[in-house]
Amino acid sequence: MNHFLVVLLMAACGVVLPNGNPTLSASHPYHVSYAEVEWNPETGHFEVALCVWPADLEKAISRMSGRAIDLDAEPGVEAMFEQYVARRFRLIGDSGKVRPIRWVGAQVGLKQAWLYFEVAGDKKPGRWTIENRVFFELNEDQLNQIQIRMGPVRKSLSSTVESKPLSLETVRWKPAR
Amino acid sequence: MSLRLNGFVCLLVVVSIPVSLHAQAVGKFSQQDKFRQLEEDLPTPNGFRTGSGAPGPAYWQQEVNYEIDVRLDDENQRLFGSEVITYKNNSPDTLRYLWLQLDANIHRPDSESKLAATSPGLERVPFKQFQGMLARRVFDGGITITKCTDNSTNQPLKYTVVKTMMRVDLPQPLPPGGSFEFGVDWYYRINDAKVVRGRSGYEYFPEDGNYIYEMAQWFPRLCAYTDVTGWQHKQFLGRGEFTLEVGNYVVRITVPSDHVVASTGTLMNADQVLSPDQRQRLEMAKSAEKPLFIVTPEEALANESSRPDGDRTWIFKADQVRDFAFASSRKFIWDALQHDVGGAPVMAMSFYPKEGEPLWSRYSTHAIVHTLNVYSRYTFDYPYPVAISVNGPVGGMEYPMICFNGPRPEKDGTYSARTKYGLISVIIHEVGHNYFPMIVNTDERQWTWMDEGLNTFLQFLAEQEWEEGYPSRRGEPADIVPFMASLNQVPIMTNSESILQFGANAYAKPATALNILRETILGRELFDFAFKEYARRWKFKRPMPADFFRTMEDASGTDLDWFWRGWFYSTDHVDLAVLGVRRLDIQQGPEVEKQVQRAERQDQPETQSAERNKPLPKYVEKFPELKDFYNDYDPLDVTPKESRSYDKFVEKLSEEERKLLDADHYFYLVDLENVGGLVMPVILELTFEDGSTDLLRYPAEIWNKNNEAISKLIITEKPVASLNLDPRLETADVDLANNHYPPRIQKSRFELFKESRERPNPMRDQQIELKRSQQKQGGSR
């Protein structure tokens, strides 16, 4: 079914929750992800370390693949992570072009999973739009926290289902003497 | 004795982050008062609730007793019920009407829960999910009331349904101390919990054509009437669970004859519903050391293909409970283990289908027993005769004596570590809810954190006692850091339905706050005493937030208003920073002092102009008579007056002070900044130049006059090489980069990961080579 049609139908019937009633899972998973994003002026790349709850990651890539995925047993699971992240975590330059990601690796533990990737940026400072829509399709109250690092400068951004894409300005910093 | 500033050793440049302020600064001081007492905000103590946080001498609560007949229609998935409610008015008020909750009405197509829901970010909707959305749109699981009568006259009572609430008008006003008995009959369609999800419902197994029913919030239940809210009849929107009155229940559950029923309460007619074998096994479970099967996996498998020969009624009795839930299926495997809690026997039992195996028989009942042990130690002895965990369609939900838990292994019986720990954690959590809010009867519809936060805190303690290094998701301060640093937040003290990021706000943050309060602020002994006192005071009673805050202070003997204000009433986060360190010297007499100053003067660079001007002839050299006292005077020469003055100063010192003067001490002024706004203790690790360390702990009150920036004098006997703030990550400090002196360049996690991949590892290389050569040899054979 054409997904555009589905969205229209959703609007018509007024039923919009992804997992049914919000009452649901009373164990209430912790719907917060955390990304450290650092712009490297030498390479022009954004270096991203994204921390997520492994159960959500498993659910998300299972849903993306249309079958149940076991994070621990699936061969080539990192390629799925990459595919998922490329869809959900986007950096967009001034020209409006989405920059490609380059996968670096992952560490999947019991408590958390760290996903590492780079996004091709520019060596010159500039304005960017950043979108982190990880798990928005799973959790209506998902909060994606992003910490931007540029040398000693840190800036916190938060992205929720309701929020618009975030703007980010890269700046060169000089180390304090 | 005076201290003299010897100069800045170094000053760090700290990037300032705007500090959010939630209360206006008062008067002519620009800071808000983080230590302002809470009594201005908390309700005034009264005869019902005292200023110590205990129930007052006039404390009261209503009593509601139920006698219910319920029939489960397994053919059409409907529930039919008939109840007699006895309402005892213990309040000082005369009541003209009663309010009941009709939770099933949340499944009406026009329910407020559905209409008030806002849209999440959906771009692509899988077809299966779309089917679910349509099903919820058309499914009508609303309750139909077929009868509501006064039992004394058998006359119909006037009632009005208001969405998920029902008002019953009393024929006569009910005075204080009076009782009223009335009957309600009803039915509703049960929801398929896999499609129309909720806290209750059925799961259908197409492979064998059977159902598991987990029935909760299934009967018209009296709303709580309290001294704080009057009637608690806020609509049921889904998140704010409920609060009810404590009472006694007799429930007769009629199900197909081949079903096994798990329920709140004690089974009263085992001889009518259980086989002789099952009764014997239950008897054996009383003295068993490990869980025993009451219904074995083989028997449950055989039951799956059986068909009922009619109905059977299971009778349960439960005293002093605030609610009643049950589960029923012919698929259930059943195991049990009796366990003593404080000298009283508790039968821990698990009910699950074969789809839960082998995970459930291995862990569920043990997890129940472990929960009862740990929670009872921190609160009170578990007071009920049974504690039950059921596997079915509901992911995790709690009721008195019984809870529903979702995790299952894969179809081939294997399971990941995440599934295993997910199951153990959810069972600990849901069984733990017996203590909060089933027994300490908090108002979940108003304050989610009061049960979820306290329960998640105890869950963390229980998990850590399950096995070493248990991967608890919540509890450790470092785990809450990303949420604390986030921008879209509301305080913990927010109504259940208005909370953003429900899990992080109402579960994880209060649990972490309590863990910090226990480990870092009060210490385990004081905290545990106060927490147990809170549980003891409010067992089977209804505390409010102020009762918790006041009891913790009352029993620990500690003013914690700053802690509640910061962690529970604000969205501030912890970010303390070492701004700089200054070394100070003790005045050692004018000779030494001026010698130091002279050395400093000599260290000053000669300016270019001074150097070039030096050889130029000077006018006064031509006319020496122009020179006077000041031409030879050096202000850094020690005058006799200064020497006398210092001698006098030393004479006035006590012997101890003189010793200190002679001792070799080092004085440091550590400048600290509170970047995040939340005041917390200052925990400083000093590393001395000889490599040894010392840990200094200063209470949060260090910030009570200036909560933005302070200086702390530290005296050591050895020169300090470096400082580290919060070295053991006790405070949930969101930015560790500004915690060091001298500043450390903190590598990003990305860099560290890349380095770990790129770092030479000759051992690994050798192993790879070895493997390759072995494979080659194997291939050539």
Side-chain angles (χ1 to χ4, degrees), chain A residues 47-58:
Chain A
E47 298 169 345
V48 186
L50 172 63
C51 181
V52 296
W53 177 222
D56 282 346
L57 182 62
E58 193 167 73

Side-chain angles (χ1 to χ4, degrees), chain B residues 115-175:
Chain B
L115 297 175
T118 54
S119 171
L122 296 175
E123 295 92 5
R124 291 180 173 82
V125 182
F127 190 70
K128 199 175 171 189
Q129 187 181 334
F130 182 59
Q131 273 183 312
M133 290 174 169
L134 286 177
R136 283 191 295 280
R137 178 174 174 260
V138 296
F139 175 73
D140 186 351
I143 196 166
T144 302
I145 303 291
T146 52
K147 196 178 94 172
C148 182
T149 53
D150 180 344
N151 262 27
S152 64
T153 62
N154 212 22
Q155 290 299 305
L157 289 166
K158 187 183 173 212
Y159 65 88
T160 305
V161 174
V162 184
K163 301 168 194 169
T164 59
M165 297 289 159
M166 179 170 94
R167 192 190 73 233
V168 175
D169 297 341
L170 297 173
Q172 303 293 331
L174 184 63

Side-chain angles (χ1 to χ4, degrees), chain B residues 162-208:
Chain B
V162 184
K163 301 168 194 169
T164 59
M165 297 289 159
M166 179 170 94
R167 192 190 73 233
V168 175
D169 297 341
L170 297 173
Q172 303 293 331
L174 184 63
S179 282
F180 180 66
E181 193 177 283
F182 65 110
V184 182
D185 291 2
W186 76 97
Y187 72 88
Y188 68 87
R189 281 176 68 193
I190 302 168
N191 57 302
D192 179 344
K194 290 287 183 189
V195 180
V196 180
R197 295 174 62 187
R199 298 177 193 280
S200 178
Y202 71 78
E203 178 180 8
Y204 177 62
F205 294 79
E207 297 86 352
D208 51 58

Side-chain angles (χ1 to χ4, degrees), chain B residues 663-682:
Chain B
D664 199 9
H665 281 102
Y666 297 84
F667 297 84
Y668 298 92
L669 265 182
V670 180
D671 297 321
L672 298 162
E673 186 180 3
N674 179 5
V675 181
L678 188 48
V679 291
M680 283 294 274
V682 171

Side-chain angles (χ1 to χ4, degrees), chain B residues 398-533:
Chain B
E398 70 280 5
Y399 297 93
M401 305 186 216
I402 189 169
C403 58
F404 306 147
N405 302 301
R408 283 181 190 152
E410 303 300 324
K411 283 190 174 168
D412 64 3
T414 62
Y415 52 85
S416 67
R418 271 183 293 281
T419 304
K420 168 189 159 180
Y421 290 111
L423 175 68
I424 296 167
S425 287
V426 75
I427 292 175
I428 291 173
H429 184 93
E430 307 305 348
V431 173
H433 269 308
N434 274 292
Y435 298 80
F436 305 98
M438 298 303 152
I439 296 168
V440 176
N441 186 6
T442 52
D443 183 350
E444 301 170 276
R445 194 149 296 175
Q446 183 66 34
W447 303 115
T448 297
W449 70 267
M450 285 199 76
D451 68 305
E452 298 297 357
L454 270 62
N455 185 35
T456 303
F457 161 67
L458 286 180
Q459 177 192 343
F460 173 67
L461 301 189
E463 285 172 351
Q464 293 308 306
E465 288 192 38
W466 176 272
E467 70 183 36
E468 195 171 338
Y470 189 99
S472 296
R473 185 72 181 104
R474 301 149 179 166
E476 284 287 2
D479 290 333
I480 196 72
V481 162
F483 174 68
M484 295 296 284
S486 67
L487 302 179
N488 289 57
Q489 276 192 54
V490 290
I492 290 175
M493 283 294 289
T494 298
N495 172 260
S496 303
E497 297 296 345
S498 303
I499 295 170
L500 306 174
Q501 289 82 45
F502 201 64
N505 184 300
Y507 290 60
K509 185 178 172 184
T512 311
L514 292 180
N515 195 34
I516 291 172
L517 187 60
R518 180 172 189 249
E519 300 286 15
T520 300
I521 315 284
L522 291 178
R524 290 190 174 192
E525 193 182 338
L526 268 188
F527 178 94
D528 292 351
F529 176 82
F531 192 81
K532 201 176 175 90
E533 177 65 5

Side-chain angles (χ1 to χ4, degrees), chain B residues 7-66:
Chain B
F8 285 94
V9 172
C10 187
L11 191 64
L12 300 189
V13 178
V14 175
V15 177
S16 65
I17 296 170
V19 179
S20 61
L21 299 178
H22 299 277
Q24 282 193 327
V26 176
K28 293 178 178 174
F29 190 47
S30 62
Q31 296 181 7
Q32 59 171 306
D33 183 1
K34 307 270 183 184
F35 292 84
R36 189 169 183 162
Q37 291 296 285
L38 271 180
E39 65 181 55
E40 299 167 40
D41 301 310
L42 299 183
T44 307
N46 53 41
F48 311 127
R49 293 158 198 278
T50 70
S52 72
Y59 177 83
W60 56 267
Q61 63 187 28
Q62 308 293 63
E63 181 181 331
V64 190
N65 300 319
Y66 296 83

Side-chain angles (χ1 to χ4, degrees), chain A residues 21-34:
Chain A
N21 197 306
T23 58
L24 307 195
S25 168
S27 54
H28 297 293
Y30 183 62
H31 298 154
V32 178
S33 80
Y34 173 67

Side-chain angles (χ1 to χ4, degrees), chain B residues 255-413:
Chain B
V255 296
S257 59
D258 53 352
H259 269 214
V260 171
V261 177
S263 171
T264 300
T266 305
L267 179 62
M268 304 305 289
N269 61 336
D271 53 338
Q272 292 172 340
V273 294
L274 300 182
S275 69
D277 277 354
Q278 290 167 344
R279 293 204 299 275
Q280 190 190 357
R281 290 167 190 166
L282 260 180
E283 200 55 38
M284 287 166 63
K286 288 181 181 172
S287 54
E289 291 185 355
K290 291 178 180 173
L292 285 184
F293 284 118
I294 311 304
V295 175
T296 66
E298 296 74 25
E299 289 166 344
L301 190 63
N303 287 349
E304 284 187 352
S305 52
S306 79
R307 281 299 167 258
D309 55 6
D311 287 340
R312 193 170 288 171
T313 300
W314 298 56
I315 305 171
F316 292 89
K317 186 173 186 305
D319 292 337
Q320 278 211 294
V321 288
R322 74 169 203 171
D323 197 8
F324 193 101
F326 67 94
S328 182
S329 178
R330 62 176 61 86
K331 285 176 69 70
F332 280 149
I333 301 166
W334 175 7
D335 72 50
L337 173 65
Q338 184 164 299
H339 181 66
D340 277 8
V341 182
V346 180
M347 191 64 84
M349 299 188 280
S350 300
F351 296 75
Y352 41 91
K354 65 178 188 298
E355 286 77 4
E357 283 293 75
L359 201 56
W360 271 71
S361 60
R362 188 172 294 163
Y363 292 115
S364 176
T365 298
H366 277 298
I368 297 171
V369 168
H370 176 66
T371 306
L372 300 182
N373 285 341
V374 176
Y375 276 62
S376 294
R377 193 177 342 121
Y378 288 109
T379 57
F380 41 75
D381 289 335
Y382 184 75
Y384 296 133
V386 300
I388 297 170
S389 164
V390 181
N391 179 240
V394 177
M397 190 56 206
E398 70 280 5
Y399 297 93
M401 305 186 216
I402 189 169
C403 58
F404 306 147
N405 302 301
R408 283 181 190 152
E410 303 300 324
K411 283 190 174 168
D412 64 3

